[in-house]
Amino acid sequence: VVRANNHTLSFILLVSIKLSFLSVFLFLGRPVDITCMLQQTSFGITFSIAVSCILAKTIMVCVAFKATKPGSPWRNWVGVKVAYCIVIFCSIIQILISVIWLTISPPFLELNFLSEPGQIIIQCNEGSVIAFYIVLSYMGLLASVSFIVAFLARSLPDSFNEAKYI
Protein backbone atom coordinates (compact mmCIF):
# COMPACT_ATOMS: atom_id res chain seq x y z
CA VAL A 1 0.00 0.00 0.00
CA VAL A 2 1.37 3.39 -0.99
CA ARG A 3 0.16 6.51 0.77
CA ALA A 4 0.74 9.93 -0.73
CA ASN A 5 0.33 13.39 0.74
CA ASN A 6 -2.17 14.25 -2.02
CA HIS A 7 -3.44 11.31 -4.04
CA THR A 8 -5.24 13.44 -6.66
CA LEU A 9 -2.06 15.40 -7.35
CA SER A 10 -0.13 12.12 -7.57
CA PHE A 11 -2.65 10.82 -10.08
CA ILE A 12 -2.36 14.01 -12.19
CA LEU A 13 1.43 13.65 -12.00
CA LEU A 14 1.35 10.05 -13.23
CA VAL A 15 -1.08 10.84 -16.07
CA SER A 16 0.96 13.83 -17.22
CA ILE A 17 4.19 11.81 -17.19
CA LYS A 18 2.47 9.11 -19.22
CA LEU A 19 1.16 11.67 -21.72
CA SER A 20 4.57 13.30 -22.05
CA PHE A 21 6.07 9.89 -22.84
CA LEU A 22 3.28 9.20 -25.33
CA SER A 23 3.91 12.52 -27.08
CA VAL A 24 7.06 10.93 -28.51
CA PHE A 25 4.85 9.07 -30.98
CA LEU A 26 4.00 12.39 -32.64
CA PHE A 27 7.61 12.53 -33.80
CA LEU A 28 7.39 9.18 -35.62
CA GLY A 29 6.24 8.71 -39.18
CA ARG A 30 5.66 11.14 -42.01
CA PRO A 31 4.90 14.59 -40.58
CA VAL A 32 1.79 16.53 -41.49
CA ASP A 33 0.85 20.06 -40.45
CA ILE A 34 -1.15 19.03 -37.39
CA THR A 35 1.57 16.74 -36.02
CA CYS A 36 4.13 19.48 -36.57
CA MET A 37 2.00 21.79 -34.43
CA LEU A 38 1.40 19.18 -31.73
CA GLN A 39 4.93 17.79 -31.37
CA GLN A 40 6.55 20.45 -29.21
CA THR A 41 3.44 21.98 -27.70
CA SER A 42 1.95 18.71 -26.40
CA PHE A 43 5.21 17.69 -24.77
CA GLY A 44 5.73 21.15 -23.31
CA ILE A 45 2.28 21.31 -21.77
CA THR A 46 2.23 17.78 -20.35
CA PHE A 47 5.76 18.04 -18.98
CA SER A 48 4.96 21.41 -17.39
CA ILE A 49 1.94 19.85 -15.69
CA ALA A 50 4.19 17.09 -14.32
CA VAL A 51 6.81 19.51 -13.01
CA SER A 52 4.06 21.75 -11.58
CA CYS A 53 2.69 18.78 -9.64
CA ILE A 54 6.10 18.05 -8.20
CA LEU A 55 6.51 21.71 -7.28
CA ALA A 56 3.07 21.83 -5.63
CA LYS A 57 3.68 18.64 -3.65
CA THR A 58 7.06 19.90 -2.43
CA ILE A 59 5.66 23.31 -1.47
CA MET A 60 2.80 21.69 0.43
CA VAL A 61 5.19 19.50 2.43
CA CYS A 62 7.28 22.56 3.34
CA VAL A 63 4.18 24.56 4.30
CA ALA A 64 2.82 21.68 6.37
CA PHE A 65 5.95 21.59 8.51
CA LYS A 66 6.03 25.36 8.92
CA ALA A 67 2.36 25.31 10.00
CA THR A 68 2.99 22.93 12.91
CA LYS A 69 4.29 25.75 15.10
CA PRO A 70 1.60 27.31 17.32
CA GLY A 71 0.21 30.59 15.97
CA SER A 72 1.94 30.16 12.63
CA PRO A 73 0.54 32.23 9.73
CA TRP A 74 1.32 29.26 7.46
CA ARG A 75 -1.81 27.46 8.74
CA ASN A 76 -3.89 29.44 6.24
CA TRP A 77 -1.86 27.98 3.37
CA VAL A 78 -2.36 24.32 4.28
CA GLY A 79 -4.90 22.62 2.03
CA VAL A 80 -5.34 21.00 -1.34
CA LYS A 81 -6.73 24.14 -2.96
CA VAL A 82 -3.33 25.83 -2.78
CA ALA A 83 -1.67 22.86 -4.47
CA TYR A 84 -4.28 22.82 -7.23
CA CYS A 85 -3.88 26.56 -7.75
CA ILE A 86 -0.12 26.13 -8.15
CA VAL A 87 -0.58 23.40 -10.76
CA ILE A 88 -3.27 25.31 -12.64
CA PHE A 89 -1.36 28.61 -12.61
CA CYS A 90 1.94 27.08 -13.76
CA SER A 91 0.20 25.01 -16.44
CA ILE A 92 -1.85 27.91 -17.79
CA ILE A 93 1.32 29.93 -18.32
CA GLN A 94 2.74 27.15 -20.52
CA ILE A 95 -0.58 26.80 -22.35
CA LEU A 96 -0.64 30.54 -23.05
CA ILE A 97 2.93 30.45 -24.34
CA SER A 98 2.03 27.55 -26.64
CA VAL A 99 -1.17 29.23 -27.89
CA ILE A 100 0.73 32.44 -28.63
CA TRP A 101 3.37 30.39 -30.48
CA LEU A 102 0.73 28.58 -32.54
CA THR A 103 -1.06 31.86 -33.28
CA ILE A 104 1.92 33.99 -34.29
CA SER A 105 4.24 31.57 -36.07
CA PRO A 106 3.23 27.90 -35.84
CA PRO A 107 5.43 24.96 -36.82
CA PHE A 108 4.84 23.83 -40.38
CA LEU A 109 5.72 21.09 -42.85
CA GLU A 110 8.91 21.75 -44.81
CA LEU A 111 10.55 20.00 -47.75
CA ASN A 112 14.32 19.96 -47.36
CA PHE A 113 16.13 19.68 -50.71
CA LEU A 114 19.55 20.72 -49.45
CA SER A 115 20.47 18.21 -46.72
CA GLU A 116 21.06 15.21 -48.95
CA PRO A 117 21.63 15.57 -52.68
CA GLY A 118 19.08 13.67 -54.75
CA GLN A 119 16.65 13.18 -51.83
CA ILE A 120 13.78 15.24 -50.47
CA ILE A 121 13.46 15.16 -46.68
CA ILE A 122 10.04 15.99 -45.25
CA GLN A 123 10.50 17.63 -41.86
CA CYS A 124 8.85 20.00 -39.42
CA ASN A 125 10.05 23.57 -39.23
CA GLU A 126 9.61 25.00 -35.73
CA GLY A 127 8.18 28.27 -37.03
CA SER A 128 9.33 30.78 -34.45
CA VAL A 129 12.59 29.62 -32.92
CA ILE A 130 12.21 32.24 -30.20
CA ALA A 131 8.84 30.80 -29.15
CA PHE A 132 10.34 27.31 -29.13
CA TYR A 133 13.09 28.47 -26.78
CA ILE A 134 10.58 30.27 -24.58
CA VAL A 135 8.65 27.00 -24.16
CA LEU A 136 11.88 25.19 -23.25
CA SER A 137 13.00 28.02 -20.96
CA TYR A 138 9.74 27.96 -19.06
CA MET A 139 10.10 24.21 -18.48
CA GLY A 140 13.65 24.85 -17.27
CA LEU A 141 12.43 27.63 -14.97
CA LEU A 142 9.79 25.36 -13.43
CA ALA A 143 12.36 22.60 -12.95
CA SER A 144 14.80 25.06 -11.35
CA VAL A 145 12.20 26.41 -8.94
CA SER A 146 11.23 22.83 -8.04
CA PHE A 147 14.88 22.01 -7.37
CA ILE A 148 15.32 25.09 -5.17
CA VAL A 149 12.19 24.31 -3.14
CA ALA A 150 13.28 20.68 -2.78
CA PHE A 151 16.73 21.86 -1.68
CA LEU A 152 15.12 24.06 0.98
CA ALA A 153 12.98 21.11 2.11
CA ARG A 154 15.99 18.91 2.73
CA SER A 155 16.11 19.98 6.38
CA LEU A 156 12.71 18.54 7.30
CA PRO A 157 12.47 16.67 10.58
CA ASP A 158 13.73 13.11 10.64
CA SER A 159 10.27 11.90 11.64
CA PHE A 160 9.04 12.71 8.14
CA ASN A 161 9.82 9.92 5.72
CA GLU A 162 7.44 9.76 2.79
CA ALA A 163 9.01 6.50 1.60
CA LYS A 164 8.29 4.57 4.80
CA TYR A 165 4.93 3.39 3.43
CA ILE A 166 6.42 1.86 0.28
Side-chain angles (χ1 to χ4, degrees), residues 5-18:
N5 60 358
N6 188 337
H7 59 83
T8 307
L9 220 57
S10 298
F11 179 73
I12 294 170
L13 174 64
L14 288 172
V15 169
S16 62
I17 289 172
K18 190 174 197 173

Side-chain angles (χ1 to χ4, degrees), residues 1-159:
V1 175
V2 177
R3 293 179 56 172
N5 60 358
N6 188 337
H7 59 83
T8 307
L9 220 57
S10 298
F11 179 73
I12 294 170
L13 174 64
L14 288 172
V15 169
S16 62
I17 289 172
K18 190 174 197 173
L19 288 174
S20 63
F21 282 134
L22 288 175
S23 68
V24 170
F25 290 111
L26 291 170
F27 291 86
L28 300 176
R30 182 180 179 160
V32 293
D33 284 331
I34 191 71
T35 57
C36 287
M37 286 188 227
L38 289 176
Q39 284 175 351
Q40 305 297 337
T41 55
S42 65
F43 176 75
I45 291 169
T46 56
F47 192 74
S48 292
I49 292 170
V51 176
S52 298
C53 288
I54 292 170
L55 176 63
K57 287 173 76 68
T58 308
I59 287 174
M60 292 315 298
V61 168
C62 292
V63 168
F65 277 98
K66 288 188 183 280
T68 57
K69 297 175 185 162
S72 174
W74 290 99
R75 289 181 185 261
N76 298 334
W77 294 98
V78 175
V80 294
K81 290 180 182 178
V82 175
Y84 296 149
C85 287
I86 292 170
V87 173
I88 290 169
F89 179 73
C90 294
S91 302
I92 284 182
I93 291 174
Q94 182 71 290
I95 291 169
L96 285 175
I97 292 170
S98 297
V99 166
I100 290 170
W101 178 18
L102 292 176
T103 304
I104 293 174
S105 180
F108 58 91
L109 189 67
E110 178 182 54
L111 301 176
N112 186 347
F113 297 100
L114 304 174
S115 277
E116 303 218 9
Q119 290 186 347
I120 301 172
I121 298 175
I122 302 171
Q123 62 189 20
C124 289
N125 186 321
E126 298 304 332
S128 174
V129 178
I130 294 171
F132 173 69
Y133 285 125
I134 290 172
V135 167
L136 289 180
S137 299
Y138 183 70
M139 286 190 292
L141 175 71
L142 272 180
S144 300
V145 171
S146 297
F147 175 76
I148 290 168
V149 172
F151 185 76
L152 295 174
R154 78 189 188 291
S155 59
L156 292 176
D158 290 335
S159 62

